Amino acid sequence: GAVVSQHPSWVICKSGTSVKIECRSLDFQATTMFWYRQFPKQSLMLMATSNEGSKATYEQGVEKDKFLINHASLTLSTLTVTSAHPEDSSFYICSARVGTSGPGANVLTFGAGSRLTVL
Amino acid sequence: AQSVTQPDIHITVSEGASLELRCNYSYGATPYLFWYVQSPGQGLQLLLKYFSGDTLVQGIKGFEAEFKRSQSSFNLRKPSVHWSDAAEYFCAVGVPLGGKSTFGDGTTLTVKP
């Protein structure tokens, strides 16, 4: 159980266009999802916390107008990279909280990631 | 705020040898501790977790980790490494009340035949 599907797994786009990445919880409801960015050989950098039905909470230094997050249902969060530029090329990963309370709320299930290349 | 340090950036072991990956954390109370593994181009998979109780926890794929409060450590071990264990390993710390998890910088494991 607790599977998170992330789509697309890779995408190539032209500079100036927008790209949407989807993160779905397949067999559970995820009120909270997280979006990360990972550079090669580096750790995960938390970009934002996505809460169902409310605005996302962005980490310091992350441009909320550039990285639009929508969490309109309990099973789907989307990250849209607007007006993408080559420096936005990266590996983007989402995760979802499996539990809703107690220590289990800290257990995360991750998507397989999305490789974005902006030409 | 909590923090996590993985002192070893890269470790190479021979197949069949034992493995220990180090993780040190900083947090004022007992944190929730996790080890995740990431294969190239993939997301992270939970190996094991510690919340409370027995300080030696067993995980999937034959891994175990021991929580040592006196050393603020949560080292990951495996008695006999397989070639398929080659991957990136991340230690993470979470805090009560559903706070955000903080990840270490990761340790890359290479397994020699």
Side-chain angles (χ1 to χ4, degrees):
Chain A
V3 176
V4 170
S5 173
Q6 190 171 339
H7 178 82
S9 54
W10 59 270
V11 57
I12 301 173
C13 70
K14 293 182 179 179
S15 184
T17 61
S18 295
V19 174
K20 180 185 285 188
I21 301 170
E22 294 186 346
C23 182
R24 292 181 184 272
S25 57
L26 297 186
D27 49 1
F28 67 104
Q29 294 182 329
T31 54
T32 302
M33 292 185 175
F34 301 93
W35 287 95
Y36 308 83
R37 184 172 179 176
Q38 186 179 33
F39 293 99
K41 302 295 184 183
Q42 294 190 25
S43 188
L44 284 73
M45 182 192 80
L46 179 65
M47 299 174 66
T49 301
S50 171
N51 295 300
E52 187 267 336
S54 64
K55 291 184 178 181
T57 303
Y58 290 81
E59 296 299 301
Q60 192 171 9
V62 177
E63 300 176 63
K64 61 175 122 180
D65 293 332
K66 179 160 193 66
F67 299 100
L68 299 179
I69 291 173
N70 184 280
H71 195 157
S73 79
L74 286 171
T75 59
L76 174 65
S77 176
T78 60
L79 167 68
T80 301
V81 183
T82 62
S83 187
H85 292 285
E87 57 266 30
D88 298 325
S89 298
S90 193
F91 193 57
Y92 293 88
I93 306 175
C94 70
S95 71
R97 274 211 179 112
V98 178
T100 56
S101 63
N106 290 82
V107 178
L108 301 173
T109 296
F110 286 81
S114 299
R115 172 77 56 195
L116 170 63
T117 301
V118 184
L119 303 177
Chain B
Q2 68 272 27
S3 66
V4 181
T5 302
Q6 292 181 246
D8 305 304
I9 297 174
H10 194 172
I11 283 185
T12 299
V13 298
S14 297
E15 190 168 15
S18 64
L19 169 71
E20 182 170 34
L21 302 181
R22 296 184 292 166
C23 172
N24 294 97
Y25 69 90
S26 174
Y27 182 61
T30 301
Y32 303 140
L33 296 162
F34 308 85
W35 274 101
Y36 292 88
V37 60
Q38 183 182 31
S39 297
Q42 296 294 313
L44 279 67
Q45 180 184 22
L46 179 67
L47 284 176
L48 47 76
K49 59 186 182 291
Y50 172 79
F51 292 151
S52 64
D54 193 344
T55 55
L56 183 63
V57 293
Q58 303 296 321
I60 62 172
K61 305 184 180 185
F63 285 93
E64 65 177 27
E66 185 171 12
F67 169 60
K68 292 186 177 180
R69 184 190 307 275
S70 61
Q71 300 177 18
S72 296
S73 69
F74 188 58
N75 294 348
L76 181 72
R77 300 193 295 248
K78 186 169 185 177
S80 177
V81 170
H82 188 262
W83 63 266
S84 60
D85 293 324
E88 188 80 13
Y89 290 81
F90 292 96
C91 181
V93 58
V95 299
L97 301 180
K100 297 171 286 190
S101 292
T102 299
F103 289 82
D105 288 337
T107 298
T108 301
L109 173 65
T110 298
V111 180
K112 294 191 301 183

